[in-house]
Amino acid sequence: MKFGEVIKSADFKTEKHAPVIEAPEKIKSEELFEVEVSVGKEIPHPNTIEHHIKWIDLYIQYDEDPNTLHIGRYNFGPSINEPIIKTKIKLAKSGKLIAVSYCNKHGVWENSKEIKVEV
């Protein structure tokens, strides 16, 4: 079994584990913009020692590029902080932001959002 086969995805409106990416759909090339990724936006996710989000990774996959670039990993402690991150990035070309989160009880979840870069 490959790791990609165990990654789960779902609509965040019906599944509390799916990460939500909030970012503009269109930006200008090299323009700094804010990205927020959260878990439990519509349905709150527990934040206890027994059941919590341990980390969120953020990636970019540029259009027509087979490589995926890692933007950052954000770690969380149970009952200390909520699984929400905000970061500022800039892109030179269009692509797909990919967020991956890890729940210590229910595994790895992903979601993505297309970002169009206007030159």
Side-chain angles (χ1 to χ4, degrees), residues 48-85:
T48 64
I49 291 172
E50 298 81 18
H51 188 188
H52 62 276
I53 299 300
K54 185 74 175 160
W55 51 257
I56 294 173
D57 276 351
L58 185 60
Y59 300 88
I60 182 68
Q61 170 114 45
Y62 290 114
D63 292 349
E64 301 174 18
D65 187 340
N67 301 307
T68 304
L69 302 176
H70 189 236
I71 295 171
R73 171 168 280 188
Y74 310 88
N75 295 299
F76 306 100
S79 69
I80 296 171
N81 50 11
E82 293 297 316
I84 300 169
I85 66 105

Side-chain angles (χ1 to χ4, degrees), residues 20-54:
V20 179
I21 303 169
E22 295 183 74
E25 293 180 11
K26 292 182 182 179
I27 61 161
K28 293 183 178 170
S29 181
E30 299 294 335
E31 175 183 65
L32 198 61
F33 66 99
E34 185 172 274
V35 177
E36 179 179 307
V37 182
S38 61
V39 175
K41 181 171 180 69
E42 294 288 325
I43 305 168
H45 188 280
N47 192 15
T48 64
I49 291 172
E50 298 81 18
H51 188 188
H52 62 276
I53 299 300
K54 185 74 175 160

